[in-house]
Amino acid sequence: MTSPFEFSLSRRHLLASLGAGAVCATTFPAFGLTAPVQKIVVIGGGMAGATVAKYLRLWSNKAVEVTIVEPSTTYVSNIMSNLVVTGQYEPALLNYNWSNLIKNHGIKLVKGSVSQVTANGSGWSVSVTGVAAPLLCDRVVVAPGISFDPVLDNIAQPVAVLHAWQAGPQTTQLRDLLAALPPTGTLVMTIPPAPYRCPPGPYERACVIADYLKRNKPGARIVVLDANPDVMAEPANFKNAFSTLYGANLVYLPGRKVKYVTSGISPYSGKVTVDIVGTGFVEEYSGDLLNIIPTQRAGAIAQILGLCDSTGFAPVNGVSFESTLRPGIHVIGDAAKTSLPKAGHVGNQGAKICADAMLRILSNQAPYATPTANSACYSPLSSTVASWLTAVYQYEQQPDSSWKYVARDQISTTTGPTEAASASTGNFTKMNTWYKTLMTETYS
Ligand SMILES: Cc1cc2nc3c(=O)[nH]c(=O)nc-3n(C[C@H](O)[C@H](O)[C@H](O)COP(=O)(O)OP(=O)(O)OC[C@H]3O[C@@H](n4cnc5c(N)ncnc54)[C@H](O)[C@@H]3O)c2cc1C
């Protein structure tokens, strides 16, 4: 195993990588916040929650009091977790905590899980499991990430699955079971219908697992069953990798949606029965190891608080990320229903737009009308090469009075994200720097 994250954080690099200046057009004095101190509670200290907390403090010049409520003692990054699955990186490289945010920005941290939020005069009362007194505040930010829908067997009973789509114990469990795969074994991986967390993530995982098998178990293979009609991100690079690097040990089948799962005798082995989308036919695939990524919705607390619509995600105002169902509560990160991809870098960017808008609202100003976010994401395609995906997301009103963050190429402003011309070792090195920069910017 290697320790790849040697880097130095320069201001120029950070701004170039994260576009921190792009989203906020306001400077501290513009907010003019005065006593009494406004209080904001942030539910969830993940990529989006940590960022919004930091920038609420920074951009208000510490005029607002910010409390993060978070049940975990360590934040385990999903980003880079696919390289922990293949054993290339140590699990510890995924671990972050909130100590620098507390030290550098005076953010308060309450350990616990939010169970309810109720109106309290013009503000809110936030109940935290295990904490006697509710937290009282003026505004709430909900950033709980995602929850997973149950995966069912053929009599509609829930089946335990190994998704490793929330980094933590399942990540190392998948790593260990991959290492134990028989030399001629089959790993079956399923991809849920969009929207799901990290559009390129499943294809990235398929590639690095195929690379691992090629090097360590040349007789084994991976079968990828995708509920979507095609590769959902970086299609040129992933499809090229599927057909060239992994033509002999990776089978990619789009339009295969999980119908039910039949567990086998050994842990997380069994059969996956899929609908061939749009045909009325079904197919069955057996695996010595099943990596089922379930369909997803906003984190449970967003459902409990009545913030979500029938899609399972939380509709928001696009310039403020304020809930359209419960004004005064903002929803950011993967839980929000927007046209932005559900990704950590985008969560960081959306959090900055939200922080700026909240400070304007608290100072009786209107949110900035046309915010911009950007996204940069590197995807390892093997243990040595990576590709990337990038876009600028511009908030735009649509003719039907709806709104959208429209993805544009960073250079030519053509609509849609741009992917790397090809995968390279240089991109792999830059990926490590990008990851460390993003995480350090978010957690310090
Ligand atoms: C394998 C994989 C690879 C990925 N790779 C990339 C990548 O390369 N680039 C990229 O940009 N993104 C990537 N992502 C996506 C990225 O990890 C997520 O989009 C990002 O973490 C979302 O941030 P979030 O803050 O919405 O949720 P999270 O980061 O999941 O944080 C949510 C937090 O809320 C807390 N919480 C939940 N409920 C409560 C409650 N009731 N009370 C208090 N706290 C609560 C949780 O404990 C958690 O800490 C990847 C994801 C996966 C699975």
Side-chain angles (χ1 to χ4, degrees):
M1 297 198 192
T2 53
S3 178
F5 299 128
E6 296 292 328
F7 89 112
S8 67
L9 184 67
S10 76
R11 179 177 160 75
R12 186 179 62 80
H13 191 167
L14 186 149
L15 291 177
S17 299
L18 301 178
V23 292
C24 181
T26 306
T27 51
F28 307 147
F31 293 122
L33 291 164
T34 52
V37 171
Q38 307 267 5
K39 294 182 179 175
I40 297 170
V41 168
V42 178
I43 302 174
M47 297 299 294
T51 306
V52 81
K54 171 179 169 176
Y55 281 88
L56 281 166
R57 291 287 288 171
L58 265 180
W59 287 341
S60 73
N61 221 2
K62 299 190 174 164
V64 294
E65 186 182 298
V66 180
T67 303
I68 294 176
V69 185
E70 168 61 52
S72 311
T73 44
T74 302
Y75 177 72
V76 184
S77 166
N78 299 298
I79 306 176
M80 292 293 153
S81 65
N82 285 332
L83 292 176
V84 172
V85 167
T86 58
Q88 186 172 355
Y89 287 175
E90 294 282 2
L93 289 170
L94 306 178
N95 293 349
Y96 287 82
N97 64 51
W98 299 270
S99 58
N100 285 331
L101 293 177
I102 295 167
K103 190 174 70 190
N104 297 340
H105 305 290
I107 291 165
K108 296 174 191 286
L109 180 68
V110 170
K111 186 166 168 11
S113 205
V114 170
S115 55
Q116 193 49 269
V117 176
T118 49
N120 176 45
S122 61
W124 300 95
S125 171
V126 179
S127 303
V128 182
T129 306
V131 176
L135 308 175
L136 304 180
C137 61
D138 298 286
R139 284 199 168 239
V140 178
V141 184
V142 178
I146 53 163
S147 56
F148 297 98
D149 289 339
V151 175
L152 304 176
D153 66 12
N154 64 343
I155 52 166
Q157 293 302 303
V159 182
V161 294
L162 182 60
H163 51 73
W165 215 244
Q166 179 68 61
Q170 284 215 343
T171 308
T172 46
Q173 205 174 358
L174 181 58
R175 176 197 64 188
D176 296 345
L177 289 173
L178 176 64
L181 193 73
T184 56
T186 298
L187 185 154
V188 176
M189 177 184 163
T190 69
I191 303 175
Y196 58 84
R197 163 173 278 181
C198 193
Y203 310 103
E204 168 188 304
R205 178 176 288 174
C207 284
V208 296
I209 286 179
D211 174 62
Y212 170 89
L213 296 177
K214 198 171 159 183
R215 289 181 288 111
N216 296 284
K217 298 174 192 283
R221 65 178 192 147
I222 175 169
V223 176
V224 183
L225 304 172
D226 190 348
N228 300 289
D230 201 355
V231 170
M232 298 303 286
E234 298 173 62
N237 280 304
F238 284 124
K239 286 193 209 176
N240 183 51
F242 291 171
S243 61
T244 56
L245 297 176
Y246 311 121
N249 72 345
L250 184 152
V251 178
Y252 173 71
L253 297 168
R256 265 58 174 195
K257 187 164 182 237
V258 174
K259 189 174 166 70
Y260 58 85
V261 170
T262 310
S263 297
I265 292 168
S266 44
Y268 302 115
S269 66
K271 284 186 289 198
V272 185
T273 303
V274 291
D275 284 317
I276 308 177
V277 178
T279 67
F281 293 107
V282 296
E283 287 173 338
E284 195 173 85
Y285 294 87
S286 294
D288 301 285
L289 179 55
L290 305 181
N291 177 208
I292 309 288
I293 304 173
T295 53
Q296 294 155 33
R297 55 189 62 231
I301 188 65
Q303 319 286 338
I304 292 165
L305 300 185
L307 295 166
C308 300
D309 66 13
S310 60
T311 65
F313 293 97
V316 292
N317 174 309
V319 296
S320 64
F321 286 79
E322 185 168 2
S323 166
T324 55
L325 300 178
R326 291 189 76 181
I329 299 181
H330 299 248
V331 186
I332 56 173
D334 287 358
K337 179 183 166 187
T338 73
S339 58
L340 293 165
K342 298 190 183 302
H345 193 166
V346 177
N348 169 290
Q349 292 277 297
K352 289 170 183 165
I353 294 171
C354 178
D356 181 67
M358 287 180 83
L359 293 174
R360 289 173 191 258
I361 291 167
L362 290 172
S363 342
N364 300 314
Q365 299 175 38
Y368 186 62
T370 53
T372 309
N374 76 1
S375 171
C377 182
Y378 286 86
S379 304
L381 302 189
S382 74
S383 61
T384 55
V385 300
S387 64
W388 51 255
L389 179 70
T390 186
V392 170
Y393 291 93
Q394 178 64 58
Y395 174 90
E396 288 178 8
Q397 287 286 343
Q398 303 299 297
D400 65 357
S401 82
S402 66
W403 58 270
K404 199 173 174 185
Y405 278 94
V406 179
R408 296 197 195 285
D409 172 311
Q410 300 243 16
I411 298 156
S412 67
T413 68
T414 311
T415 306
T418 314
E419 62 177 298
S422 60
S424 70
T425 52
N427 287 338
F428 199 94
T429 305
K430 286 180 191 158
M431 172 185 75
N432 292 329
T433 307
W434 162 83
Y435 168 65
K436 196 71 180 178
T437 305
L438 173 63
M439 299 310 289
T440 304
E441 202 269 337
T442 301
Y443 283 95
S444 60

Short mmCIF file of all heavy atoms in Angstrom, two decimals, residues 57-94:
data_model
loop_
_atom_site.label_atom_id
_atom_site.label_comp_id
_atom_site.label_asym_id
_atom_site.label_seq_id
_atom_site.Cartn_x
_atom_site.Cartn_y
_atom_site.Cartn_z
N ARG A 57 -19.30 31.28 8.83
CA ARG A 57 -18.44 31.98 9.80
C ARG A 57 -17.50 32.95 9.09
O ARG A 57 -17.35 34.11 9.50
CB ARG A 57 -17.64 30.96 10.60
CG ARG A 57 -18.47 30.12 11.54
CD ARG A 57 -18.94 30.88 12.75
NE ARG A 57 -17.86 31.17 13.69
CZ ARG A 57 -17.97 31.97 14.75
NH1 ARG A 57 -19.12 32.58 15.00
NH2 ARG A 57 -16.96 32.17 15.56
N LEU A 58 -16.86 32.47 8.02
CA LEU A 58 -15.87 33.31 7.32
C LEU A 58 -16.52 34.56 6.75
O LEU A 58 -16.04 35.68 6.94
CB LEU A 58 -15.26 32.52 6.17
CG LEU A 58 -13.94 31.78 6.40
CD1 LEU A 58 -13.52 31.07 5.12
CD2 LEU A 58 -12.85 32.75 6.84
N TRP A 59 -17.61 34.37 6.01
CA TRP A 59 -18.20 35.48 5.27
C TRP A 59 -19.04 36.40 6.15
O TRP A 59 -19.43 37.48 5.72
CB TRP A 59 -19.01 34.95 4.08
CG TRP A 59 -18.12 34.41 2.97
CD1 TRP A 59 -16.80 34.68 2.79
CD2 TRP A 59 -18.49 33.52 1.92
NE1 TRP A 59 -16.33 34.02 1.69
CE2 TRP A 59 -17.33 33.30 1.12
CE3 TRP A 59 -19.68 32.89 1.56
CZ2 TRP A 59 -17.34 32.47 0.00
CZ3 TRP A 59 -19.69 32.07 0.44
CH2 TRP A 59 -18.53 31.87 -0.33
N SER A 60 -19.37 35.96 7.37
CA SER A 60 -20.06 36.87 8.30
C SER A 60 -19.07 37.53 9.24
O SER A 60 -19.46 38.27 10.14
CB SER A 60 -21.10 36.11 9.12
OG SER A 60 -20.47 35.30 10.10
N ASN A 61 -17.78 37.23 9.04
CA ASN A 61 -16.76 37.72 9.97
C ASN A 61 -17.10 37.28 11.39
O ASN A 61 -16.97 38.04 12.34
CB ASN A 61 -16.65 39.24 9.88
CG ASN A 61 -15.22 39.71 9.95
OD1 ASN A 61 -14.30 38.89 10.02
ND2 ASN A 61 -15.02 41.01 9.93
N LYS A 62 -17.56 36.05 11.51
CA LYS A 62 -17.92 35.41 12.79
C LYS A 62 -19.11 36.09 13.47
O LYS A 62 -19.29 35.96 14.68
CB LYS A 62 -16.71 35.34 13.73
CG LYS A 62 -15.56 34.52 13.14
CD LYS A 62 -14.47 34.25 14.13
CE LYS A 62 -13.43 33.32 13.51
NZ LYS A 62 -12.18 33.26 14.20
N ALA A 63 -19.92 36.80 12.69
CA ALA A 63 -21.08 37.47 13.29
C ALA A 63 -22.23 36.50 13.53
O ALA A 63 -23.15 36.81 14.29
CB ALA A 63 -21.55 38.62 12.40
N VAL A 64 -22.23 35.35 12.85
CA VAL A 64 -23.28 34.36 13.14
C VAL A 64 -22.66 33.20 13.92
O VAL A 64 -21.48 32.88 13.75
CB VAL A 64 -23.97 33.82 11.86
CG1 VAL A 64 -24.75 34.91 11.16
CG2 VAL A 64 -22.99 33.16 10.92
N GLU A 65 -23.47 32.61 14.79
CA GLU A 65 -23.02 31.45 15.57
C GLU A 65 -23.46 30.19 14.80
O GLU A 65 -24.62 30.09 14.42
CB GLU A 65 -23.68 31.49 16.95
CG GLU A 65 -23.18 30.43 17.89
CD GLU A 65 -23.93 30.52 19.22
OE1 GLU A 65 -23.82 31.55 19.91
OE2 GLU A 65 -24.64 29.55 19.54
N VAL A 66 -22.52 29.30 14.57
CA VAL A 66 -22.83 28.12 13.76
C VAL A 66 -22.53 26.85 14.56
O VAL A 66 -21.43 26.69 15.10
CB VAL A 66 -22.01 28.11 12.45
CG1 VAL A 66 -22.35 26.86 11.62
CG2 VAL A 66 -22.27 29.37 11.64
N THR A 67 -23.52 25.97 14.62
CA THR A 67 -23.35 24.68 15.31
C THR A 67 -23.59 23.56 14.31
O THR A 67 -24.64 23.52 13.65
CB THR A 67 -24.37 24.55 16.46
OG1 THR A 67 -24.19 25.65 17.35
CG2 THR A 67 -24.17 23.24 17.22
N ILE A 68 -22.62 22.67 14.19
CA ILE A 68 -22.82 21.45 13.39
C ILE A 68 -23.29 20.35 14.34
O ILE A 68 -22.71 20.16 15.42
CB ILE A 68 -21.50 20.98 12.73
CG1 ILE A 68 -21.01 22.00 11.69
CG2 ILE A 68 -21.67 19.61 12.08
CD1 ILE A 68 -19.66 21.64 11.06
N VAL A 69 -24.34 19.63 13.95
CA VAL A 69 -24.74 18.43 14.69
C VAL A 69 -24.37 17.23 13.84
O VAL A 69 -24.76 17.15 12.67
CB VAL A 69 -26.26 18.41 14.98
CG1 VAL A 69 -26.60 17.20 15.86
CG2 VAL A 69 -26.70 19.70 15.63
N GLU A 70 -23.60 16.32 14.40
CA GLU A 70 -23.06 15.20 13.63
C GLU A 70 -22.88 14.00 14.56
O GLU A 70 -22.25 14.13 15.61
CB GLU A 70 -21.71 15.63 13.01
CG GLU A 70 -20.86 14.54 12.42
CD GLU A 70 -21.51 13.78 11.27
OE1 GLU A 70 -22.00 14.41 10.31
OE2 GLU A 70 -21.54 12.54 11.34
N PRO A 71 -23.41 12.82 14.17
CA PRO A 71 -23.30 11.66 15.07
C PRO A 71 -21.93 11.00 15.07
O PRO A 71 -21.56 10.34 16.04
CB PRO A 71 -24.36 10.69 14.53
CG PRO A 71 -24.57 11.10 13.10
CD PRO A 71 -24.28 12.56 13.02
N SER A 72 -21.16 11.14 13.98
CA SER A 72 -19.90 10.40 13.87
C SER A 72 -18.76 11.16 14.54
O SER A 72 -18.80 12.38 14.65
CB SER A 72 -19.53 10.20 12.40
OG SER A 72 -20.63 9.70 11.68
N THR A 73 -17.73 10.42 14.95
CA THR A 73 -16.54 11.08 15.48
C THR A 73 -15.53 11.33 14.36
O THR A 73 -14.65 12.17 14.49
CB THR A 73 -15.86 10.23 16.57
OG1 THR A 73 -15.82 8.89 16.13
CG2 THR A 73 -16.62 10.31 17.87
N THR A 74 -15.67 10.59 13.26
CA THR A 74 -14.78 10.76 12.10
C THR A 74 -15.63 10.83 10.85
O THR A 74 -16.58 10.05 10.71
CB THR A 74 -13.83 9.54 11.98
OG1 THR A 74 -13.10 9.42 13.19
CG2 THR A 74 -12.87 9.68 10.81
N TYR A 75 -15.31 11.76 9.97
CA TYR A 75 -15.96 11.76 8.66
C TYR A 75 -15.14 10.89 7.72
O TYR A 75 -13.93 11.12 7.56
CB TYR A 75 -16.07 13.19 8.09
CG TYR A 75 -16.69 13.17 6.70
CD1 TYR A 75 -18.04 12.90 6.53
CD2 TYR A 75 -15.91 13.36 5.56
CE1 TYR A 75 -18.62 12.83 5.26
CE2 TYR A 75 -16.48 13.31 4.30
CZ TYR A 75 -17.83 13.04 4.15
OH TYR A 75 -18.39 12.97 2.90
N VAL A 76 -15.78 9.89 7.13
CA VAL A 76 -15.08 8.99 6.21
C VAL A 76 -15.45 9.40 4.79
O VAL A 76 -16.61 9.30 4.39
CB VAL A 76 -15.45 7.52 6.48
CG1 VAL A 76 -14.62 6.60 5.57
CG2 VAL A 76 -15.22 7.16 7.94
N SER A 77 -14.46 9.86 4.05
CA SER A 77 -14.70 10.35 2.70
C SER A 77 -15.05 9.22 1.74
O SER A 77 -14.38 8.19 1.70
CB SER A 77 -13.43 11.06 2.19
OG SER A 77 -13.51 11.26 0.80
N ASN A 78 -16.10 9.45 0.96
CA ASN A 78 -16.41 8.50 -0.13
C ASN A 78 -15.41 8.67 -1.26
O ASN A 78 -15.07 7.70 -1.95
CB ASN A 78 -17.81 8.77 -0.68
CG ASN A 78 -18.88 8.59 0.36
OD1 ASN A 78 -19.05 7.50 0.88
ND2 ASN A 78 -19.60 9.65 0.67
N ILE A 79 -15.00 9.93 -1.45
CA ILE A 79 -14.07 10.21 -2.54
C ILE A 79 -12.79 9.42 -2.25
O ILE A 79 -12.29 9.43 -1.14
CB ILE A 79 -13.77 11.73 -2.63
CG1 ILE A 79 -15.07 12.52 -2.73
CG2 ILE A 79 -12.85 12.03 -3.80
CD1 ILE A 79 -14.89 14.03 -2.73
N MET A 80 -12.28 8.74 -3.23
CA MET A 80 -11.07 7.90 -3.14
C MET A 80 -11.35 6.54 -2.51
O MET A 80 -10.45 5.71 -2.44
CB MET A 80 -9.93 8.58 -2.36
CG MET A 80 -9.35 9.75 -3.04
SD MET A 80 -8.49 9.21 -4.52
CE MET A 80 -8.63 10.67 -5.47
N SER A 81 -12.59 6.30 -2.05
CA SER A 81 -12.82 5.03 -1.35
C SER A 81 -12.72 3.83 -2.30
O SER A 81 -12.48 2.71 -1.85
CB SER A 81 -14.17 5.05 -0.63
OG SER A 81 -15.24 5.15 -1.54
N ASN A 82 -12.89 4.06 -3.61
CA ASN A 82 -12.76 2.92 -4.53
C ASN A 82 -11.33 2.38 -4.55
O ASN A 82 -11.11 1.20 -4.82
CB ASN A 82 -13.20 3.32 -5.95
CG ASN A 82 -14.71 3.42 -6.05
OD1 ASN A 82 -15.44 2.74 -5.33
ND2 ASN A 82 -15.20 4.28 -6.94
N LEU A 83 -10.35 3.25 -4.26
CA LEU A 83 -8.96 2.78 -4.22
C LEU A 83 -8.63 2.12 -2.88
O LEU A 83 -7.60 1.46 -2.76
CB LEU A 83 -8.00 3.92 -4.55
CG LEU A 83 -8.09 4.40 -6.01
CD1 LEU A 83 -7.18 5.60 -6.24
CD2 LEU A 83 -7.75 3.28 -6.99
N VAL A 84 -9.50 2.31 -1.88
CA VAL A 84 -9.38 1.52 -0.65
C VAL A 84 -9.97 0.13 -0.90
O VAL A 84 -9.43 -0.88 -0.44
CB VAL A 84 -10.09 2.23 0.52
CG1 VAL A 84 -10.14 1.35 1.76
CG2 VAL A 84 -9.37 3.54 0.84
N VAL A 85 -11.04 0.07 -1.68
CA VAL A 85 -11.65 -1.23 -2.02
C VAL A 85 -10.62 -2.14 -2.69
O VAL A 85 -10.58 -3.34 -2.43
CB VAL A 85 -12.89 -1.02 -2.95
CG1 VAL A 85 -13.34 -2.34 -3.56
CG2 VAL A 85 -14.03 -0.37 -2.16
N THR A 86 -9.79 -1.58 -3.55
CA THR A 86 -8.80 -2.41 -4.24
C THR A 86 -7.52 -2.60 -3.42
O THR A 86 -6.57 -3.22 -3.90
CB THR A 86 -8.42 -1.79 -5.60
OG1 THR A 86 -7.90 -0.48 -5.37
CG2 THR A 86 -9.62 -1.71 -6.53
N GLY A 87 -7.48 -2.04 -2.22
CA GLY A 87 -6.32 -2.23 -1.35
C GLY A 87 -5.14 -1.33 -1.68
O GLY A 87 -4.09 -1.42 -1.06
N GLN A 88 -5.32 -0.43 -2.65
CA GLN A 88 -4.20 0.43 -3.04
C GLN A 88 -3.93 1.51 -2.00
O GLN A 88 -2.77 1.84 -1.74
CB GLN A 88 -4.48 1.06 -4.41
CG GLN A 88 -3.29 1.85 -4.95
CD GLN A 88 -3.51 2.31 -6.39
OE1 GLN A 88 -4.51 1.98 -7.01
NE2 GLN A 88 -2.58 3.08 -6.91
N TYR A 89 -4.99 2.07 -1.42
CA TYR A 89 -4.83 3.12 -0.42
C TYR A 89 -5.31 2.63 0.94
O TYR A 89 -6.23 1.81 1.03
CB TYR A 89 -5.63 4.37 -0.81
CG TYR A 89 -5.04 5.16 -1.97
CD1 TYR A 89 -5.71 6.25 -2.49
CD2 TYR A 89 -3.83 4.80 -2.55
CE1 TYR A 89 -5.19 6.98 -3.55
CE2 TYR A 89 -3.30 5.52 -3.61
CZ TYR A 89 -3.98 6.60 -4.11
OH TYR A 89 -3.46 7.31 -5.15
N GLU A 90 -4.70 3.20 1.99
CA GLU A 90 -5.08 2.86 3.36
C GLU A 90 -6.42 3.51 3.72
O GLU A 90 -6.65 4.68 3.34
CB GLU A 90 -4.03 3.41 4.34
CG GLU A 90 -2.67 2.78 4.23
CD GLU A 90 -2.62 1.42 4.90
OE1 GLU A 90 -3.66 0.97 5.41
OE2 GLU A 90 -1.55 0.81 4.90
N PRO A 91 -7.29 2.83 4.47
CA PRO A 91 -8.56 3.44 4.89
C PRO A 91 -8.36 4.77 5.61
O PRO A 91 -9.18 5.68 5.49
CB PRO A 91 -9.17 2.40 5.83
CG PRO A 91 -8.54 1.11 5.44
CD PRO A 91 -7.17 1.42 4.92
N ALA A 92 -7.25 4.90 6.35
CA ALA A 92 -7.04 6.13 7.14
C ALA A 92 -6.98 7.38 6.26
O ALA A 92 -7.25 8.49 6.72
CB ALA A 92 -5.75 6.01 7.95
N LEU A 93 -6.64 7.20 4.97
CA LEU A 93 -6.57 8.36 4.08
C LEU A 93 -7.94 8.97 3.80
O LEU A 93 -8.04 10.05 3.23
CB LEU A 93 -5.89 7.97 2.77
CG LEU A 93 -4.39 7.70 2.91
CD1 LEU A 93 -3.83 7.08 1.66
CD2 LEU A 93 -3.65 8.97 3.26
N LEU A 94 -8.99 8.26 4.21
CA LEU A 94 -10.35 8.78 4.01
C LEU A 94 -10.85 9.56 5.22
O LEU A 94 -11.92 10.15 5.17
CB LEU A 94 -11.32 7.62 3.73
CG LEU A 94 -10.97 6.66 2.59
CD1 LEU A 94 -12.02 5.55 2.50
CD2 LEU A 94 -10.85 7.40 1.26
#
